[in-house]
Amino acid sequence: MSRFHRYSWGNCLLIHSQRPDATQVAGFQAWLKMRRYVRKGEKGIVILAPMVGRKKSDDELTEDAETRLFGFRAAHVFDVSQTEGEPLPEFARVTGDPQQHTDRLKAFVAAKGIALEFSDRIAPAKGMSSGGKITLLPNLDAAETFSVLVHEAAHELLHRGERRSQTTHAVRETEAEAVAFVVSCAVGLDLNTASSDYIQLHSGDKATLAESLAFVQHTAAEILNAMLPSADGVG
């Protein structure tokens, strides 16, 4: 679970039962986007992927205002060790000094009843949220600590309860990182292409972001209003 914290516990079990040494998995097309290719003869790792939509006929799903989780289907992912090609891209890094805003952000998280912990066990992930608790990787620099904490706080605010089952992985990651981008920029951090790199890695795009702007704006505003008192220029 520390290696695949974005997957359900059931899919973690499926990955472990088929390839216990897996470290980073993605679908065939996702690897192609990173200019890596699954080696011929490699056997895929079977997981369960959600089917989100509205049933239009016995074998067709469509998406509209009534879109919901309809069921699951078998899907195949491959570990990085089963691929070859270009080296995995490195993310741009968040830079800058969040100053006192990190302490204010931690206070906001605590006020929401969310526990904050630090653990090396979540590596290579930098952060994870698990329903009422956020865990961050220790020893991140100040800018990354702030940005990752905003990302995980956004998951806690947006993706717990019923709405989690109504959204896809790509939508959830796009929303959380978009909130992190807005809040981090607001306190003066430079994200370069870090947020867009992250969103693209998780198959998000402009269309995904456009559909989520209202959720992103509301959540970013809630965090900023709590962090930036009127003395900082935000009422």
Side-chain angles (χ1 to χ4, degrees):
M1 290 180 70
S2 67
R3 282 177 279 166
F4 303 107
H5 62 281
R6 298 300 184 202
Y7 287 79
S8 68
W9 66 269
N11 277 334
C12 287
L13 289 174
L14 287 171
I15 293 170
H16 179 75
S17 66
Q18 297 166 79
R19 199 173 187 95
D21 60 344
T23 59
Q24 185 172 355
V25 301
F28 188 88
Q29 294 299 325
W31 284 124
L32 287 180
K33 290 180 181 179
M34 291 181 276
R35 299 183 183 277
R36 294 190 66 85
Y37 307 89
V38 176
R39 287 192 296 267
K40 186 176 181 179
E42 291 287 353
K43 183 179 179 181
I45 304 166
V46 180
I47 63 171
L48 294 177
M51 295 188 298
V52 178
R54 182 172 66 87
K55 194 169 185 181
K56 187 176 180 180
S57 63
D58 289 341
D59 57 357
E60 184 179 358
L61 288 177
T62 186
E63 292 195 10
D64 60 14
E66 298 180 15
T67 292
R68 63 182 178 84
L69 176 66
F70 189 79
F72 295 87
R73 60 179 176 81
H76 292 83
V77 294
F78 300 86
D79 184 54
V80 63
S81 63
Q82 298 176 277
T83 69
E84 56 189 16
E86 294 187 9
L88 291 176
E90 294 185 8
F91 288 124
R93 294 180 64 86
V94 182
T95 59
D97 183 4
Q99 302 179 43
Q100 75 277 10
H101 297 113
T102 299
D103 289 336
R104 293 178 179 177
L105 177 59
K106 290 178 179 178
F108 169 79
V109 168
K112 288 291 182 179
I114 303 168
L116 175 60
E117 299 179 357
F118 293 83
S119 174
D120 288 311
R121 290 179 296 175
I122 67 170
K126 295 179 180 180
M128 64 179 288
S129 64
S130 50
K133 182 176 75 173
I134 292 174
T135 306
L136 299 184
L137 192 66
N139 302 319
L140 296 176
D141 63 36
E144 277 198 308
T145 295
F146 182 89
S147 180
V148 174
L149 181 53
V150 177
H151 179 105
E152 302 304 336
H155 276 307
E156 289 291 321
L157 296 173
L158 283 168
H159 306 137
R160 298 301 166 197
E162 183 178 349
R163 189 163 184 270
R164 180 175 180 82
S165 65
Q166 298 173 340
T167 53
T168 64
H169 173 83
V171 167
R172 293 191 295 272
E173 294 305 322
T174 297
E175 290 178 348
E177 190 57 27
V179 171
F181 177 85
V182 172
V183 175
S184 297
C185 286
V187 303
L189 300 184
D190 181 4
L191 281 83
N192 199 344
T193 61
S195 289
S196 59
D197 290 348
Y198 184 92
I199 289 171
Q200 290 179 49
L201 179 64
H202 290 273
S203 302
D205 54 25
K206 291 181 179 179
T208 309
L209 181 59
E211 294 175 1
S212 296
L213 282 179
F215 293 104
V216 171
Q217 190 278 333
H218 180 271
T219 305
E222 181 181 0
I223 296 173
L224 287 171
N225 286 335
M227 276 191 356
L228 303 177
S230 56
D232 287 346
V234 177

